[in-house]
Amino acid sequence: LLLHVLYTYSSSPKPKSTQPHLLTFDTRILSELQEEIQFITQHIVEINYLLSYIDSCLEATKSRWATAYQTFYKKFKQVRMASEEQNTIPLELNVEFMNLLVTGVPSAGVHNFLTDYLQPGKLSDMKRGIDMACKTVISVCQECIHPALEQTLFRLGELLGVIKWSRKYRHVDLKSETIEEVTSATEDVLITTEGLKHIAMKTQKGYNAFFEWLAICMRRLSSDSDDQKDEILAIGEEKFGDVAGCLKHDIVQDRLGGFFKDISSHFESKTTDVKQMSLIHAMKLLRSSWKKVISQPDRALSPHVSLISQVKIEKGIMRLDKYPTTAANLMAINTTHVHGFEYALFGREAKMGEPLMTLIRTRHVPLPEGGFECFVGAVALKFPDCNPENNAEFSSKNPSDTELEVVSVAFYNAEYIAMLVKTGKHGSRLWLVNFINLEYEAIPQRKTRTRSSTGGALFVIPNRGVHTCMGLIARDGDLKCAATGFTICAGRESAAITDAKHNIIALDVSEREEDEEDRGDEGEDEAEGEVS
């Protein structure tokens, strides 16, 4: 029913320290509407995935076609250079080849281009590239985009049905009008996809006829026989229309590429005599209308989620940039209640003998008239000196390990905190520290002059003067390396540690627990072992 959030704050643009905060929110509305929220969230996540999948398909298809077309267009722009060599005025590319198609007589520039600039092997490569790009567009439309849009329409239909006919979804505040708007936008994308597939088929057929015609022209122009040169006009009637359509719509205008341009207006498709929308722009409109839908539950539920309490440490000194450790490594929150309390902890940079950690214990009791009564307690933990001259407990340790510094912290279970501690320059230790059997100091609620309805109760833990206890180390493991971070893995039976060289070390924690149980009969002393 409650949501706890840990974060750090600093007013400096380049902070060397941060001020930790613990916020608690009343999220009972999420529990009351759990079934409805799960249903809507599932559909929203699925539709988001489908739209992202369509975007990635379009991006890949766009890249494939752009590469093939640019290779072709870059080569055929050399017609202008070939015309200039013949001292003739170059015309538009499609006009030059249209004259050749209609009259059967090549201009001096086209003749020079077909005989000197264009080789049969290059022509075959361009034909293969255009053909494969068109096939890719058709395949992606049929096998990827079209099925994804159908699934999107199915999900939208389910959402629209429950919003219109089920009263329990009224608190989520999804509007049927916005879902219908998204449905209409999805249908537009589907229609545009069909138009893209149709144009891709036309383009493929036109380019194939164009390249076949050019291959015939090149063979006849390069022949020594005058009879063959006079047969340039010999092109079948069925191919004539395809080549003419390719010259008119594809060579320069690139009607297929128009579907991949983000243009707000419709472009006219000459082959179908209808106006086609850019597919990229159609997806942009779909995204815009979809954003209106996913923002509605947020606006409906946010007023019902209120801030109950905020706890901050006054003048916190959690470091950020001294070592690779970040502030996130120095904070942890317990995800389960322990004897009715919630716990959070903050690691601290401290000198010898000063507390290394601040533990916070909170409890929120619902009131009959509404709201919560908040209780906050805190305790600071310090630990024995690692210098063997000052503490006999660490007499076997390296004399150079004279400092303690918390590198990373985490809640191990309902009783222990796991601490990764840096000792000296090259040593690290993994401690399990009891956090239940401690004397927590009650922190009074701070009264503020002005308090908003969502401000919550404010508790401030002083950086100095809070009750301090000696940490109870239940287990001490020597890592034999300079560790920089760690995490407790799922099941609480293993842990992963990273060292300064970015190596990952896996620890079987459960096995060490069994070993300690076996040694439990030998004495009451705290177990201490090495971890490899």
Side-chain angles (χ1 to χ4, degrees):
L1 301 182
L2 303 181
L3 173 66
H4 306 279
V5 179
L6 281 174
Y7 78 101
T8 58
Y9 168 79
S10 177
S11 58
S12 172
K14 297 181 179 180
K16 292 185 178 180
S17 62
T18 59
Q19 185 171 1
H21 290 70
L22 171 63
L23 306 181
T24 303
F25 294 90
D26 179 10
T27 56
R28 286 177 293 181
I29 185 67
L30 303 182
S31 178
E32 296 170 0
L33 300 176
Q34 182 177 358
E35 180 182 347
E36 293 84 350
I37 293 175
Q38 285 181 346
F39 178 84
I40 292 177
T41 301
Q42 180 183 0
H43 282 68
I44 288 178
V45 169
E46 288 293 335
I47 293 176
N48 279 335
Y49 167 76
L50 290 169
L51 296 183
S52 299
Y53 174 71
I54 294 172
D55 286 336
S56 62
C57 291
L58 281 178
E59 190 64 30
T61 308
K62 174 184 175 181
S63 177
R64 181 67 181 269
W65 171 251
T67 300
Y69 179 77
Q70 289 300 324
T71 301
F72 161 80
Y73 192 70
K74 183 178 180 181
K75 183 64 179 179
F76 273 74
K77 282 200 307 183
Q78 295 179 353
V79 172
R80 176 178 293 273
M81 187 184 303
S83 299
E84 292 174 352
E85 287 184 356
Q86 299 298 320
N87 296 321
T88 58
I89 299 176
L91 302 176
E92 290 291 335
L93 184 60
N94 55 339
V95 176
E96 291 275 16
F97 284 98
M98 187 65 78
N99 290 336
L100 173 61
L101 178 66
V102 174
T103 65
V105 180
S107 65
V110 172
H111 188 284
N112 187 27
F113 173 75
L114 294 178
T115 55
D116 296 339
Y117 281 80
L118 187 61
Q119 295 77 33
K122 183 64 176 178
L123 184 68
S124 298
D125 291 341
M126 288 188 293
K127 177 183 178 182
R128 189 181 306 110
I130 291 289
D131 186 66
M132 291 302 298
C134 289
K135 287 182 178 179
T136 299
V137 173
I138 297 170
S139 175
V140 169
C141 289
Q142 288 180 336
E143 302 175 10
C144 301
I145 298 179
H146 195 283
L149 289 171
E150 287 183 340
Q151 293 183 44
T152 302
L153 287 172
F154 173 76
R155 294 283 182 179
L156 289 171
E158 284 197 327
L159 280 178
L160 185 60
V162 298
I163 294 304
K164 279 190 171 182
W165 303 109
S166 181
R167 292 185 176 181
K168 62 181 181 180
Y169 285 88
R170 64 183 182 274
H171 298 290
V172 186
D173 199 30
L174 275 178
K175 304 295 184 183
S176 60
E177 294 81 3
T178 56
I179 298 180
E180 290 173 349
E181 181 182 343
V182 177
T183 303
S184 177
T186 306
E187 292 172 350
D188 289 340
V189 175
L190 186 59
I191 294 172
T192 307
T193 302
E194 289 298 318
L196 171 61
K197 185 177 69 173
H198 176 76
I199 294 299
M201 292 177 179
K202 290 283 188 180
T203 302
Q204 182 185 25
K205 185 178 181 181
Y207 270 108
N208 285 337
F210 174 72
F211 286 123
E212 291 174 3
W213 171 60
L214 281 188
I216 295 173
C217 292
M218 291 174 63
R219 287 198 302 268
R220 292 175 179 175
L221 287 175
S222 60
S223 174
D224 295 332
S225 173
D226 294 336
D227 294 338
Q228 289 189 356
K229 292 182 179 180
D230 295 337
E231 295 177 0
I232 293 179
L233 276 174
I235 180 173
E237 294 182 1
E238 68 281 358
K239 299 288 185 180
F240 187 91
D242 294 335
V243 175
C246 181
L247 291 173
K248 187 176 181 181
H249 304 300
D250 297 322
I251 298 297
V252 176
Q253 291 185 6
D254 187 20
R255 57 180 172 179
L256 184 59
F259 283 88
F260 302 117
K261 296 177 181 178
D262 186 11
I263 52 179
S264 57
S265 60
H266 292 64
F267 65 91
E268 189 172 353
S269 174
K270 301 294 185 180
T271 53
T272 57
D273 296 327
V274 297
K275 290 186 176 182
Q276 292 284 355
M277 182 188 297
S278 161
L279 188 54
I280 298 296
H281 184 66
M283 280 298 300
K284 186 176 181 180
L285 295 178
L286 174 56
R287 283 284 191 183
S288 177
S289 57
W290 176 241
K291 286 182 179 179
K292 298 177 183 178
V293 173
I294 61 179
S295 64
Q296 287 175 348
D298 179 27
R299 293 196 299 265
L301 297 178
S302 293
H304 300 283
V305 177
S306 59
L307 178 63
I308 300 174
S309 66
Q310 51 178 323
V311 181
K312 64 178 181 180
I313 298 181
E314 192 176 36
K315 298 179 181 179
I317 54 172
M318 291 175 58
R319 73 187 187 283
L320 281 178
D321 56 350
K322 185 176 181 180
Y323 292 101
T325 307
T326 63
N329 297 89
L330 301 175
M331 301 188 301
I333 189 169
N334 199 13
T335 57
T336 58
H337 289 195
V338 181
H339 305 303
F341 292 96
E342 304 94 14
Y343 293 85
L345 64 92
F346 302 92
R348 299 167 57 180
E349 184 182 19
K351 298 179 181 179
M352 291 303 302
E354 292 184 352
L356 289 176
M357 254 194 310
T358 298
L359 270 162
I360 300 174
R361 186 178 69 177
T362 62
R363 186 175 184 179
H364 301 82
V365 181
L367 299 175
E369 63 273 14
F372 289 83
E373 186 177 5
C374 307
F375 302 92
V376 176
V379 64
L381 293 184
K382 64 180 182 179
F383 296 90
D385 192 344
C386 281
N387 192 336
E389 297 179 358
N390 302 333
N391 194 330
E393 182 180 351
F394 291 88
S395 59
S396 61
K397 307 300 180 295
N398 191 332
S400 63
D401 295 340
T402 58
E403 292 186 3
L404 286 178
E405 179 186 355
V406 180
V407 177
S408 188
V409 294
F411 280 91
Y412 175 62
N413 55 22
E415 187 177 359
Y416 294 108
I417 297 167
M419 293 179 55
L420 184 61
V421 181
K422 180 179 175 63
T423 56
K425 295 182 179 180
H426 305 291
S428 298
R429 311 193 72 83
L430 182 60
W431 289 348
L432 290 187
V433 180
N434 186 286
F435 68 92
I436 297 297
N437 301 323
L438 298 175
E439 185 179 349
Y440 286 83
E441 176 184 347
I443 304 298
Q445 180 178 341
R446 176 169 290 189
K447 296 181 179 181
T448 57
R449 294 181 179 178
T450 60
R451 178 182 172 184
S452 63
S453 58
T454 59
L458 175 62
F459 298 86
V460 179
I461 299 176
N463 191 45
R464 305 286 181 182
V466 70
H467 179 65
T468 302
C469 294
M470 185 66 69
L472 303 176
I473 304 175
R475 185 181 307 164
D476 180 12
D478 189 355
L479 300 180
K480 300 296 185 182
C481 66
T484 59
F486 84 109
T487 183
I488 300 297
C489 303
R492 308 290 181 179
E493 295 183 352
S494 58
I497 294 176
T498 56
D499 62 13
K501 297 182 179 180
H502 304 290
N503 296 317
I504 299 178
I505 305 170
L507 304 179
D508 189 350
V509 184
S510 62
E511 185 174 309
R512 297 192 60 230
E513 288 182 337
E514 294 173 359
D515 292 342
E516 286 192 359
E517 291 176 0
D518 295 339
R519 294 194 300 267
D521 296 336
E522 298 177 3
E524 299 290 337
D525 297 335
E526 293 176 348
E528 179 179 332
E530 293 186 357
V531 180
S532 59

